[in-house]
Amino acid sequence: MPSLFLFTIVYLIPTFIMFYMSIDIFLRNPSRPQHRLLSLFTFAYGMLFLGEFFRNASPIEFSPAFVTYWFGNAGLIVFSTSLHFIFRVSNLWKRMPRLLYPWIFYLPMGVVLTTYVFQTNVINSQQFTQVGQFIYPEFNTQYLVTMTVGNIFHLLVIGLLVYARTHLKDARRGIINVLLSVAILVLVWDIVFGYWSFYGIMPPYAYMYGGLFWAGALAIAMRRFDYLASYQKRFATLYNLNPSAILLLDRDGRIESANPAAHRLFETDDLTACTFSTYLPDKKTSRLVAALYDALFITAEVQRIRDEDFDSATARTLRRHGRRLRLHRTGTARDAVDPRYSILQGSGADDSFLCLP
């Protein structure tokens, strides 16, 4: 089998899978830490496969440099981001001291700095042997110690997942169950293919193919549990499955969209472009007009204070025609002033409404 064709199947296809998942996860919600962490995790895994493609396609004398400056450093990023993600998804990060989170997860990056400053590799084997079309590392003490330390931390991850599963009662428990099953499978894979070389049978560093199991687990979690869904998909789910009628109105009070519950309530399949006031008693029409003008006013205020420092634990009071309107912030500092997620409340319960795009 020609080398290029073999390397494409063994290395480039997994690389493209990982890069695709990395971009997909990131674009679902770039502002959430879980999305950024998993995106970086899968990207670093893709870099492992890509590095091995170039290393095995190059002369054997280049292998130490590839392992030192590429493969080893990408592996450290995989380790740091995976541990950070487990703490994040299980909410264990909330119990960590502020001085340690999240910096403690990236202490291994000091090894990366040491590698470039001192031009030396302290975690990977530097001796290699050509067997057929692949270049294998020698299983010396340096390699075996690194492999053992990695598996010990892998056991730690499994323990964290077990702990998280016992303390989570919501839908995330199903996600943790998937991750836990795959973590155990990957640990067994690492032990088998990390301590035995399988020269001429499996590619070098065959344990890294455990990353494909992680990719499969993420795909299952995203499909079965709607995990890592985008804002648009989350809103669509809430909008379409909500048993309460929801109408989206334009600034003139015309209906732009209605969820299925609204269609059932008004007993019609076509509400678009209808004027909402026609479905209200006369005495309620004036209140609707006032609410629409309040929405326009507060949306303008939200745009004006978008870049101000507005603590998420507080609410801002706006005044309009002698009435007090409360602007409550939710989520992160920037998300909370986004008009799509700002909850606007009047001084009375009947004045409450949700400002949506």
Side-chain angles (χ1 to χ4, degrees), residues 82-94:
S82 62
L83 197 59
H84 189 180
F85 171 75
I86 295 299
F87 269 78
R88 191 80 195 189
V89 75
S90 63
N91 283 339
L92 290 173
W93 66 277
K94 294 181 179 179

Side-chain angles (χ1 to χ4, degrees), residues 67-136:
V67 170
T68 298
Y69 299 108
W70 189 326
F71 186 86
N73 293 336
L76 289 173
I77 296 175
V78 167
F79 168 76
S80 295
T81 53
S82 62
L83 197 59
H84 189 180
F85 171 75
I86 295 299
F87 269 78
R88 191 80 195 189
V89 75
S90 63
N91 283 339
L92 290 173
W93 66 277
K94 294 181 179 179
R95 303 187 181 188
M96 296 183 64
R98 295 176 64 90
L99 293 177
L100 295 180
Y101 181 83
W103 316 113
I104 191 171
F105 300 117
Y106 298 97
L107 288 178
M109 295 300 101
V111 178
V112 177
L113 182 62
T114 301
T115 298
Y116 283 97
V117 171
F118 297 100
Q119 301 292 300
T120 185
N121 189 331
V122 297
I123 61 173
N124 294 106
S125 174
Q126 294 290 285
Q127 288 77 41
F128 297 87
T129 303
Q130 180 92 37
V131 179
Q133 301 182 60
F134 291 110
I135 302 173
Y136 292 86

Side-chain angles (χ1 to χ4, degrees), residues 286-307:
S286 59
R287 296 185 61 182
L288 170 65
V289 173
L292 289 172
Y293 278 109
D294 284 344
L296 291 174
F297 166 73
I298 297 177
T299 300
E301 287 294 303
V302 168
Q303 294 290 349
R304 184 177 63 80
I305 66 173
R306 178 182 294 275
D307 295 323

Side-chain angles (χ1 to χ4, degrees), residues 4 23 44:
L4 183 59
I23 295 172

